[in-house]
Amino acid sequence: MKKKLISYAVNLLLTAGIYTVFALLIQGGVINRYYEGLLINIGINIILAVSLNLVTGFLGQLVLGHAGFMSVGAYAAALVTLNSGLPEAAAFPLALLAGMLAAAIVGFLIGIPALRMKGDYLAIITLGFGEIIRVIVLALDFTGGARGLRGIPSLADFTWVYVLMAVTVYVIFTLIRSRQGRAIISIREDEIAAEAAGIHTTYYKMLAFVLAAALAGLAGGLYAHHIGILTPAKFDFNYSVEILIMVVLGGMGSITGSVVAAIILTILPEALRSFADYRMVLYSVVLIIMMLFKPSGLLGEFEFSLASIGRKLRARFFGGAVSRKED
Amino acid sequence: MSFLLQVINGLQVGSIYALVALGYNMVYGIVQLINFAHGDIIMVGAYGAYVVLVLCGLPVWVAVLASIALCVIAGVGIEKVAYSRLRNHNAPRISLLITAIGVSIFLQNLFQLIFGSAGIPFPSMFQVAPINLGGLNISFVTILTIVVTVLLMIALQLLVGKTKIGKAMRAVSEDADAAKLMGINTNSTVAFTFGLGSGLAAVGSVLYSNAYPMITPFMGSMLGLKAFVAAVLGGIGSIPGAMLGGFIMGIVESLTKGYISTQLADAVVFGILIVVLLVKPSGLLGRNATEKV
């Protein structure tokens, strides 16, 4: 128990340390607005990738409509900020909450029929729902239709995104290590065996699905208040695929992998900007080669943990066998 | 009268969906892969026909044949370069899916690089006056599309049902390992399936470009998605299913566009898919697979 507390404290310090470094760099003007925007995009993509990993990597259900949930959250949050009449500082947390809630409700409603499906059929059905959400947003009046929703105040600064990103990663990580998480993983390993062992599969599937949808909604809310303009075209099938690529490339079932892949895949298109027209061709070639030579993703199911690094260092310098009992 | 016209338009679009759906259908049946690059094969075929027809100034039949040949080469090539390694190493199926998406992004951007992102007008291949059928003016391309599709479906049904290679395809899709033990070359059978599907997609692309004479590097993605939906709707692993699925999709889309709203057409199409999957998960004409414990 004590070890666990120490490890939590170390991780918290590390998270705060990274934040402080970036915050100081931004304050000092070393990181300009362009790079700050990039950091915010990375944070949003990490939330999306990690939450999709919960469903696709740990629950083992292929979902192709994550951008749909994100758009529900984005529009709900933006509409709250624009119409609530509250001061911006008070409206923003409320808006994010509304975005999460709206996405969770939509996720629940879609989950009822969709989670009866398996494998590729679940993928197709979520794809279908994702497209339906997009078309409905396009057709509605109060969402601004194809012109989009404009003039959303940009309230999502680096601090907001970083804190919420850290909380998301923490929540998913602890969930996976908990009793509920083991139930979710058991469904991935063998659904029939899990059910036979007394696990309420429908409940846990729905739990993971709704939580992932809510977090996608959160990412959507942050996105809306970062970019300032929402158009339905942004949240199409291709964006869902982009998030899925992050999950698979990082390694399904590795939260560290999702984080790393989200960072790489957000930076890669920007870094390739100097290649101009060749950018997306290179991106796709890199993707194909990665998948060909490392089909399980960059990190497989590996998780970064300070405890295991400490263990290895101790074993190297003080000798003795590497004990795995400590965690 | 306009209702009938909408139905005929729907049949035309549906025929193209059906031709493309067959490629998805056969490939999914044989390697359980949603081949996302298949939609872009259509785009490759359209550009191929355009280059031969306009830039080289060759006759129509050469353009059609060249388009088919190009698509077959592209389809088999993609299988050999991008998929076969993963298939033979028993990689997780989702890795194969992501590779397919990667190939799709690659093709789209490669063609954007070569031809630019702006649409290119596609010349009309068949200068034949509209045909009057019982007071309805139906364009020649519409009739050609429907007739060619039906004929190809019959030919394909015979190929799969009556020939040796067809038997091999069915065997591999039933159980690839057992087929290998029976002396069937699974790799060449899979390659043949990819080639066959791509060839059909090429025919679809030529017909599509005549109906909607504007080709862009991204024309294949939505068309491919809808064709895949048609394949699932009709039932994976069934040739008549692909045709039925394509026709239903086309007619529903055409009627929604005509009577309800252009914008909502996609939503209605996907809505029908969801309802069908919930009622009959294997699709309208698909086989019911029982799950073994």
Side-chain angles (χ1 to χ4, degrees):
Chain A
M1 199 59 212
K2 202 177 161 208
K3 283 229 163 75
K4 218 172 195 176
L5 278 180
I6 293 174
S7 119
Y8 281 158
V10 170
N11 282 327
L12 191 68
L13 277 177
L14 195 71
T15 317
I18 295 174
Y19 169 73
T20 318
V21 170
F22 277 113
L24 284 176
L25 286 177
I26 289 170
Q27 206 120 67
V30 181
I31 293 178
N32 61 23
R33 285 196 65 82
Y34 169 71
Y35 286 108
E36 191 189 344
L38 196 59
L39 282 175
I40 290 174
N41 277 334
I42 289 174
I44 292 171
N45 281 337
I46 288 176
I47 297 178
L48 288 167
V50 169
S51 59
L52 183 62
N53 202 348
L54 177 65
V55 182
T56 300
F58 293 105
L59 185 64
Q61 310 288 336
L62 185 54
V63 169
L64 283 176
H66 215 49
F69 299 128
M70 184 188 177
S71 80
V72 171
Y75 274 95
L79 286 170
V80 166
T81 316
L82 288 175
N83 300 322
S84 68
L86 292 167
E88 284 181 350
F92 185 45
L94 212 65
L96 289 180
L97 216 59
M100 282 181 80
L101 202 66
I105 291 169
V106 171
F108 181 73
L109 292 177
I110 291 176
I112 295 171
L115 288 175
R116 291 169 53 195
M117 301 282 150
K118 278 198 195 98
D120 292 331
Y121 288 99
L122 180 81
I124 301 307
I125 227 170
T126 49
L127 188 162
F129 275 118
E131 287 296 303
I132 288 176
I133 291 174
R134 186 175 64 84
V135 172
I136 289 176
V137 168
L138 201 63
L140 287 177
D141 262 344
F142 62 88
T143 55
R147 276 179 304 112
L149 210 56
R150 284 155 192 282
I152 308 159
S154 60
L155 300 166
D157 57 1
F158 177 69
T159 308
W160 271 102
V161 174
Y162 187 88
V163 169
L164 289 173
M165 184 267 290
V167 170
T168 302
V169 173
Y170 175 80
V171 165
I172 303 274
F173 196 82
T174 42
L175 174 69
I176 289 308
R177 295 294 154 99
S178 70
R179 181 189 169 82
Q180 282 76 15
R182 285 194 297 275
I184 288 172
I185 293 173
S186 76
I187 295 173
R188 173 189 73 185
E189 297 298 326
D190 191 332
E191 192 171 337
I192 294 167
E195 197 154 18
I199 287 167
H200 193 343
T201 52
T202 316
Y203 169 78
Y204 284 110
K205 276 169 143 182
M206 193 57 101
L207 176 77
F209 196 70
V210 169
L211 183 60
L215 289 170
L218 173 70
L222 289 171
Y223 175 83
H225 292 86
H226 167 56
I227 297 291
I229 301 174
L230 289 179
T231 51
K234 166 77 187 166
F235 305 102
D236 62 354
F237 168 64
N238 291 328
Y239 197 60
S240 297
V241 165
E242 230 173 273
I243 306 165
L244 183 68
I245 289 175
M246 288 175 196
V247 173
V248 178
L249 193 67
M252 291 201 301
S254 163
I255 295 168
T256 320
S258 290
V259 173
V260 172
I263 296 173
I264 293 178
L265 289 182
T266 316
I267 295 177
L268 191 65
E270 297 295 323
L272 291 175
R273 226 167 245 286
S274 52
F275 293 95
D277 296 340
Y278 295 90
R279 182 165 72 116
M280 288 310 284
V281 178
L282 281 175
Y283 173 85
S284 56
V285 170
V286 169
L287 184 68
I288 294 170
I289 291 174
M290 290 264 226
M291 288 327 300
L292 281 183
F293 293 102
K294 196 88 174 62
S296 58
L298 284 175
L299 297 181
E301 291 195 5
F302 170 81
E303 292 290 2
F304 171 79
S305 91
L306 286 172
S308 72
I309 291 175
R311 222 166 28 231
K312 277 192 189 128
L313 287 178
R314 237 174 295 149
R316 167 163 292 183
F317 291 116
F318 302 111
V322 177
S323 144
R324 287 195 60 93
K325 271 189 187 154
E326 288 166 37
D327 55 357
Chain B
M1 270 305 134
S2 81
F3 176 77
L4 212 57
L5 215 57
Q6 295 284 7
V7 171
I8 291 171
N9 277 338
L11 279 178
Q12 180 188 6
V13 185
S15 303
I16 295 163
Y17 287 153
L19 282 176
V20 182
L22 277 173
Y24 281 108
N25 197 330
M26 289 190 296
V27 166
Y28 190 90
I30 211 159
V31 288
Q32 277 82 47
L33 161 73
I34 306 176
N35 183 13
F36 272 107
H38 191 63
D40 300 290
I41 293 283
I42 307 163
M43 179 270 297
V44 172
Y47 275 98
Y50 167 80
V51 167
V52 174
L53 198 64
V54 177
L55 301 185
C56 303
L58 292 167
V60 168
W61 63 272
V62 181
V64 174
L65 285 183
S67 167
I68 293 174
L70 181 67
C71 284
V72 170
I73 293 168
V76 176
I78 289 168
E79 203 281 322
K80 288 288 173 212
V81 174
Y83 304 151
S84 71
R85 188 191 149 87
L86 284 170
R87 268 195 309 107
N88 293 332
H89 284 71
N90 284 327
R93 270 174 49 203
I94 189 158
S95 312
L96 211 55
L97 189 77
I98 298 292
T99 313
I101 292 169
V103 172
S104 163
I105 304 174
F106 174 73
L107 285 176
Q108 287 174 5
N109 287 285
L110 184 71
F111 275 73
Q112 188 183 19
L113 203 63
I114 301 172
F115 294 99
S117 57
I120 299 175
F122 194 85
S124 163
M125 281 178 157
F126 314 101
Q127 256 99 9
V128 183
I131 294 159
N132 196 305
L133 271 182
L136 285 175
N137 269 332
I138 303 164
S139 80
F140 177 69
V141 176
T142 306
I143 293 170
L144 184 75
T145 306
I146 299 171
V147 171
V148 166
T149 304
V150 172
L151 288 180
L152 281 175
M153 293 286 162
I154 294 169
L156 192 67
Q157 186 76 341
L158 289 176
L159 177 82
V160 172
K162 302 281 180 205
T163 63
K164 202 169 174 186
I165 184 78
K167 205 183 229 174
M169 283 167 67
R170 280 181 288 142
V172 176
S173 78
E174 192 85 24
D175 187 334
D177 290 328
K180 209 181 263 173
L181 290 177
M182 295 297 120
I184 294 169
N185 186 340
T186 48
N187 274 332
S188 65
T189 309
V190 170
F192 179 80
T193 309
F194 270 86
L196 192 60
S198 306
L200 290 169
V203 178
S205 86
V206 170
L207 294 169
Y208 183 80
S209 312
N210 271 288
Y212 304 94
M214 180 66 83
I215 55 177
T216 73
F218 302 99
M219 64 187 271
S221 59
M222 200 58 194
L223 178 62
L225 208 56
K226 283 189 187 158
F228 179 70
V229 169
V232 176
L233 188 64
I236 290 287
S238 152
I239 293 168
M243 191 152 135
L244 182 68
F247 282 162
I248 292 176
M249 290 267 302
I251 292 171
V252 167
E253 194 182 314
S254 170
L255 290 178
T256 319
K257 274 185 180 157
Y259 293 104
I260 304 173
S261 145
T262 319
Q263 270 182 346
L264 286 179
D266 288 355
V268 172
V269 164
F270 283 110
I272 288 178
L273 170 80
I274 288 164
V275 171
V276 169
L277 279 187
L278 288 175
V279 178
K280 198 165 183 306
S282 53
L284 291 173
L285 298 183
R287 286 172 300 175
N288 263 325
T290 44
E291 196 177 347
K292 293 185 201 118
V293 180

